[in-house]
């Protein structure tokens, strides 16, 4: 892929940063539909290759922390959307946010950008910055930096965003669905003004046409002001669940409650903690001035129950466009895949399995592309579950991220504790590990046809160790590879044969549990 791609056409040119993320990935098609030209800034443009709108947008390589890469990306841009933040990147995330915002502000002014639009967080009135959670404090600081840029700026301040795949929605969903009785932190009684994701997108798109004299922050929210307790109870009612028993206790601090959220929901502790810390503040809109420049059509903003209904329908119909995990995990490995045979970066361990499959290549590919999530990993489910729990305990993402779509994958998708690094439809799926490891790991699955016309399944696990710990890790787990990787290859082949009607019935051994087909995940694809 080149460093820039996409069509050229007259009209307003919008730059979208964070296009691989939850909001950015949804904003791009909305801007295109509104008649704007769109340019996306991404550190790894390949991650946007499989999005349905990729052919209608220009995609450029760059990073907001690298000022030099911003200048060409902002050239000719009319409206620049700033949708990035360093949530969960570690203790220095406030410094990273500050550096990135200053870079963007300076380069936008130098490029003659007409407007900056930023989606930030709603902060409580009357609370000094020093008393805010680091997450909210940083979001507020970024807004001030952009407003001081000399470029007319729209800062949209939202609290909890309700939409299929959002981190806030997933927290609410899993806590309510999985725990009929909950001992909860005191922040469940804090008042919050949630907003539907479709209203957030409407305000973002409408902000592109604000007049130059408007440069300010706007509070945006839905019509309901609720406590988190109210939100969980209303979720249960909308989803048809029995009434939940919720017992708030003061001893659960935001730090402790983030561990609790991390154990129960797919949201890892690195993201759950700042979200939980922010929930202790009352965040209610002080004004609705945004409607002066972006009028609300009848029936909007959506009320909380309607937003929940729409989000749940998207989940059940397996039509989740983007998820909170769409953006890469902070600190996840980014080194290129070692190539064969010219890899010269040190030790590279591999485990290779091959099998002839009595099924068509298409049937085999359907199983490969449907792997993970509720379909499982086709081998020793307990071992995968334990590995996921261990990863969560050390602050990793674990296995609960699941899949965005029950049957189809695209480059950049999160898949349990993997991320799709490459996909050649019908032939190759390559996953990069994002669990905590002393090294870099990949898993490749190939559906091929040999010279005799037989279908072949080829599976390759690769591990590049980091230091002595990495070597010890590989040798400590290698005795289990025959069970885990061998069973995985065997059960993928058997499932393809059973689904194609050309082989034996699917395996009944424990290793095949949870591997019945892509349809099983359709109801809970998030």
């Amino acid at each position: 892929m080149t460093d820039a791609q996409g069509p050229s056409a007259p009209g307003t040119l919008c730059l979208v940063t964070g296009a691989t993320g939850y909001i950015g990935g949804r904003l791009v098609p909305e801007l295109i539909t509104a008649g704007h030209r769109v340019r996306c800034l991404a550190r790894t443009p390949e991650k946007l290759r499989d999005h349905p709108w990729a052919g209608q947008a220009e995609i450029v390589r760059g990073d907001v922390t690298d000022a030099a890469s911003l200048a060409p990306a902002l050239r000719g841009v009319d409206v620049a959307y700033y949708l990035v933040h360093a949530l969960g990147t570690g203790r220095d995330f406030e410094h990273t946010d500050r550096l990135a915002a200053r870079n963007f502000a300076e380069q936008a002014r130098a490029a003659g950008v007409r407007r900056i639009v930023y989606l930030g967080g709603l902060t409580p009135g009357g609370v000094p910055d020093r008393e805010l959670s680091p997450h909210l404090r940083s979001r507020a600081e970024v807004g001030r930096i952009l407003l001081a840029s000399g470029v007319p700026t729209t800062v949209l301040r939202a609290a909890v965003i309700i939409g299929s795949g959002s981190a806030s929605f997933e927290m609410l969903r899993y806590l309510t669905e999985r725990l009929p009785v909950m001992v909860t932190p005191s922040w469940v009684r804090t008042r919050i003004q949630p907003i539907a994701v479709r209203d957030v997108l409407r305000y973002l798109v409408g902000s592109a046409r604000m007049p130059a004299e408007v440069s300010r922050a706007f509070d945006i929210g839905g019509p309901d002001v609720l406590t988190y307790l109210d939100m969980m109870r209303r979720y249960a009612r909308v989803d048809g669940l029995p009434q939940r028993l919720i017992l708030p206790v003061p001893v659960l601090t935001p730090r402790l409650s983030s561990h609790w959220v991390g154990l129960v929901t797919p949201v890892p502790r690195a993201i759950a903690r700042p979200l939980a810390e922010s929930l202790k503040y009352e965040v209610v809109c002080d004004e609705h001035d945004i409607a002066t420049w972006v009028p609300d059509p009848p029936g909007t903003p959506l009320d909380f129950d309607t937003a929940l209904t729409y989000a749940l329908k998207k989940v059940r119909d397996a039509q989740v466009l983007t998820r909170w995990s769409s953006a890469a995990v902070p600190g996840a490995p980014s080194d290129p895949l070692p190539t064969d045979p010219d890899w010269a970066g040190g030790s590279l361990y591999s485990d290779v399995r091959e099998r002839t499959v009595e099924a068509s290549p298409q049937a085999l590919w359907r199983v490969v592309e449907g792997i993970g999530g509720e379909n499982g990993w086709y081998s020793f489910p307990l071992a995968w579950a334990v590995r996921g729990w261990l990863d969560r305990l050390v602050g990793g993402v674990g296995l609960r991220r699941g899949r965005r779509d029950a049957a189809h994958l695209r480059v950049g998708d999160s898949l349990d504790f993997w991320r799709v690094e490459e996909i050649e439809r019908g032939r190759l799926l390559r996953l990069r590990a994002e669990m905590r490891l002393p090294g870099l790991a990949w898993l490749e699955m190939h559906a091929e046809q040999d010279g005799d016309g037989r279908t072949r399944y080829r599976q390759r696990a690769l591990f590049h160790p980091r230091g002595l710990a990495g070597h010890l890790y590989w040798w400590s787990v290698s005795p289990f590879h025959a069970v885990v990787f061998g069973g995985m290859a065997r059960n993928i082949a058997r499932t393809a044969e059973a689904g194609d009607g050309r082989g034996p019935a699917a395996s009944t051994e424990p290793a095949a549990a949870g591997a019945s087909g892509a349809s099983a995940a359709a109801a809970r694809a998030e």
Side-chain angles (χ1 to χ4, degrees):
M1 178 177 289
T2 61
D3 283 356
Q5 63 178 25
S8 178
T12 301
L13 177 59
C14 299
L15 176 72
V16 177
T17 63
T20 59
Y22 176 69
I23 293 292
R26 297 188 181 210
L27 176 62
V28 172
E30 296 291 330
L31 289 170
I32 293 171
T33 300
H36 300 299
R37 288 184 297 149
V38 179
R39 177 184 296 163
C40 300
L41 179 75
R43 286 175 296 179
T44 310
E46 292 81 4
K47 289 183 179 179
L48 299 176
R49 185 191 70 194
D50 295 334
H51 284 255
W53 44 259
Q56 300 172 267
E58 180 186 0
I59 302 174
V60 299
R61 191 183 305 274
D63 188 336
V64 291
T65 62
D66 177 12
S69 70
L70 288 174
L74 287 162
R75 189 174 298 123
V77 167
D78 299 298
V79 180
Y81 285 89
Y82 193 78
L83 304 175
V84 295
H85 56 84
L87 176 65
T89 58
R91 295 180 180 178
D92 293 333
F93 81 91
E94 289 185 85
H95 170 74
T96 303
D97 272 343
R98 187 179 306 116
L99 170 66
R102 286 174 177 168
N103 284 343
F104 197 79
E106 292 169 3
Q107 294 301 322
R109 183 176 64 250
V113 170
R114 179 170 60 81
R115 175 164 298 277
I116 295 172
V117 181
Y118 168 59
L119 178 61
L122 187 59
T123 52
V127 178
D129 278 3
R130 65 180 180 277
E131 296 181 15
L132 292 174
S133 68
H135 166 56
L136 283 181
R137 183 170 61 235
S138 183
R139 302 299 289 271
E141 183 184 18
V142 167
R144 289 194 298 271
I145 290 171
L146 297 177
L147 283 167
S149 65
V151 178
T153 297
T154 301
V155 174
L156 301 177
R157 308 194 315 159
V160 171
I161 296 176
I162 301 298
S164 59
S166 75
S168 297
F169 174 75
E170 296 251 311
M171 279 178 56
L172 176 65
R173 174 187 165 209
Y174 278 83
L175 287 173
T176 308
E177 289 183 356
R178 294 189 173 186
L179 298 176
V181 178
M182 282 178 272
V183 176
T184 60
S186 57
W187 50 251
V188 297
R189 296 196 184 278
T190 303
R191 296 200 313 157
I192 304 164
Q193 190 164 353
I195 183 171
V197 67
R198 62 177 61 193
D199 285 317
V200 173
L201 294 171
R202 181 169 56 82
Y203 291 137
L204 285 168
V205 173
S207 295
R209 293 191 169 95
M210 282 189 177
E213 63 269 18
V214 178
S215 185
R216 53 163 290 188
F218 296 91
D219 293 352
I220 58 173
D224 300 304
V225 177
L226 307 165
T227 66
Y228 208 85
L229 184 66
D230 296 330
M231 290 166 62
M232 287 190 285
R233 287 175 172 164
R234 289 173 73 163
Y235 181 100
R237 185 173 66 248
V238 170
D239 200 24
L241 300 172
Q243 185 174 0
R244 272 31 194 164
L245 178 60
I246 302 169
L247 306 171
V249 294
V251 295
L252 277 176
T253 65
R255 180 184 179 90
L256 288 174
S257 62
S258 69
H259 288 274
W260 168 68
V261 170
L263 287 173
V264 176
T265 79
V267 181
R269 190 168 69 240
I271 295 176
R273 182 175 179 181
L275 291 178
E277 287 176 338
S278 300
L279 288 171
K280 68 183 181 182
Y281 305 101
E282 182 174 286
V283 280
V284 177
C285 297
D286 289 329
E287 41 82 13
H288 189 56
D289 297 348
I290 186 69
T292 303
W293 290 276
V294 187
D296 295 318
T300 59
L302 296 180
D303 62 75
F304 180 74
D305 288 3
T306 302
L308 277 183
T309 301
Y310 286 152
L312 285 168
K313 186 177 188 305
K314 289 288 187 183
V315 171
R316 289 166 180 159
D317 293 346
Q319 294 180 348
V320 180
L321 300 177
T322 59
R323 299 181 66 219
W324 63 270
S325 57
S326 297
V329 173
S334 57
D335 290 0
L337 173 71
T339 55
D340 297 331
D342 58 348
W343 168 244
S347 301
L348 182 65
Y349 295 114
S350 67
D351 181 279
V352 179
R353 310 278 167 167
E354 295 191 32
R355 295 186 69 87
T356 298
V357 183
E358 297 297 328
S360 66
Q362 294 78 17
L364 175 59
W365 178 253
R366 283 194 296 271
V367 178
V368 168
E369 193 174 3
I371 201 166
E374 301 216 0
N375 291 326
W377 291 87
Y378 296 91
S379 69
F380 205 174
L382 179 61
W384 286 91
V386 169
R387 185 63 185 87
W389 275 103
L390 290 174
D391 195 52
R392 301 284 287 192
L393 288 174
V394 296
V397 296
L399 275 176
R400 290 210 192 108
R401 291 191 302 183
R403 298 171 55 105
R404 176 192 57 83
D405 184 284
H408 303 289
L409 294 172
R410 64 191 184 199
V411 171
D413 272 359
S414 61
L415 181 57
D416 292 328
F417 48 41
W418 306 88
R419 188 168 297 276
V420 179
E421 182 175 83
E422 182 58 80
I423 185 168
E424 296 178 17
R425 202 71 58 190
R427 197 187 78 83
L428 166 69
L429 174 63
R430 180 187 301 139
L431 307 175
R432 178 192 294 275
E434 289 190 334
M435 72 281 279
R436 298 295 179 91
L437 289 170
L440 307 174
W442 295 263
L443 178 62
E444 289 185 337
M445 288 163 276
H446 297 256
E448 302 170 337
Q449 205 164 35
D450 64 20
D452 297 324
R454 295 174 301 183
T455 301
R456 297 284 295 174
Y457 173 67
R458 183 170 183 266
Q459 175 183 295
R460 186 169 70 143
L462 295 165
F463 183 69
H464 173 44
R466 185 184 299 115
L468 178 60
H471 291 277
L472 293 175
Y473 172 82
W474 175 265
W475 289 112
S476 67
V477 299
S478 59
F480 303 100
H481 287 173
V483 175
V484 175
F485 292 131
M488 183 178 178
R490 181 170 60 253
N491 289 313
I492 285 175
R494 288 176 175 175
T495 304
E497 290 167 348
D500 203 35
R502 292 167 53 181
S507 171
T508 57
E509 63 184 284
S516 60
S519 62
R524 284 290 180 264
E526 289 182 303

